[in-house]
Amino acid sequence: MEQTYDESAPVPALAGLVRTVWIQRTGSQPYPQRDLPTGGVELHCPVGGVPRLIGPLTRAQLQVIPPRTTIVGVRFMPGAGTPMLGVPADELVDCDVELWGPAADALGCAVADAADPQTALFAVQRYLAGRPLRPDPVVAEMVRRLMPWEPTGIAQLADELALSESQLRRRCLTATGVGPKALQRTLRFQGYLALAQAGFGSGLSDLAAETGYADHAHLTRECVRLTGVTPRELLGDKADRCDCGHDHSASYRPFLAGWYDRFVQAQPGRHILTSAHGPDRA
């Protein structure tokens, strides 16, 4: 069996807190994987193994998944997920840690007792739905305003949230692990990946302009800084289309929905994102 990766939207109780959930299976060979910064944390629950939390990443990390491994995964929105551990997110930056205590026991049992990976994924989500994952309203609004479809300056954002810039940075570090500017840069790059997944535009320059980069060279530099490779090397063959063979529409739907809303408000009746990977909206 070859490596498979199947994403889906989270259960309704986790909407707004979790970007996507997935099941990954490796075949008879080890599978090298590049984990990219997303702005949030990820929960990995391997069947027969110890649950792990991948902290907020500031750069790509390479891992090799052993053969014949099944992982049930959850990708959180920025600011969600770390409350489950009861530690500030900035203590988990670029870390891969094993969960311990009641949370690890509950998640391990949920996966081990499940009849199949799909049941295990639902059981993990049911457990998370009962946990204190939600960030405070100020942090949630901060994250929303740092999304790439709403370009804003950090000083302006602090004023709008009635915080000093130092207060804004401190709250952002505690909740997401990085400062507001670093989070904004990560979310902007995720926006590029979302539009590439959706088949937006007619080239890298279109994607760069839409996601707030000065030009395609600026986008390329940011891609190398965050992932270690160029857009073409990251996406496979084409820098403006995702060619990885996996459907990531569930993960990128929150980004695509934001752009969809902006375009519809600006030009009613015009459908910009027409790809099958776009938002489930009429």
Side-chain angles (χ1 to χ4, degrees), residues 85-106:
L85 288 181
V87 297
D90 55 342
E91 295 184 11
L92 299 172
V93 174
D94 293 324
C95 291
D96 178 346
V97 299
E98 291 187 355
L99 286 181
W100 54 273
D105 293 342

Side-chain angles (χ1 to χ4, degrees), residues 2 9 13 19 27-28 50 56 72 91 106 122 124 146 163 185 188 253 256 266 272:
E2 297 298 325
R19 273 180 61 178
S28 58
V50 178
V72 170
E91 295 184 11
F122 179 76
V124 168
L146 289 174
L163 297 171
R185 293 172 75 174
R188 179 174 57 185
R253 186 170 289 117
L256 298 178
I272 300 297

Side-chain angles (χ1 to χ4, degrees), residues 35 47 50 71 114 130 132 248:
D35 294 327
V47 175
V50 178
I71 298 175
H248 295 287

Side-chain angles (χ1 to χ4, degrees), residues 120-201:
L121 182 59
F122 179 76
V124 168
Q125 294 181 84
R126 183 173 56 192
Y127 171 79
L128 293 175
R131 304 295 298 169
L133 304 176
R134 191 173 299 278
D136 72 67
V138 172
V139 170
E141 181 63 13
M142 174 193 67
V143 171
R144 187 187 72 79
R145 295 186 186 218
L146 289 174
M147 285 293 190
W149 61 81
E150 287 198 17
T152 185
I154 302 305
Q156 176 187 344
L157 175 60
D159 287 342
E160 292 172 350
L161 296 178
L163 297 171
S164 68
E165 289 190 54
S166 61
Q167 288 174 323
L168 178 68
R169 176 175 174 77
R170 185 162 55 250
R171 293 181 78 154
C172 191
L173 281 170
T174 300
T176 71
V178 296
K181 191 62 180 178
L183 178 61
Q184 186 178 47
R185 293 172 75 174
T186 297
L187 293 176
R188 179 174 57 185
F189 185 73
Q190 286 290 305
Y192 153 66
L193 294 178
L195 293 184
Q197 169 77 17
F200 174 89

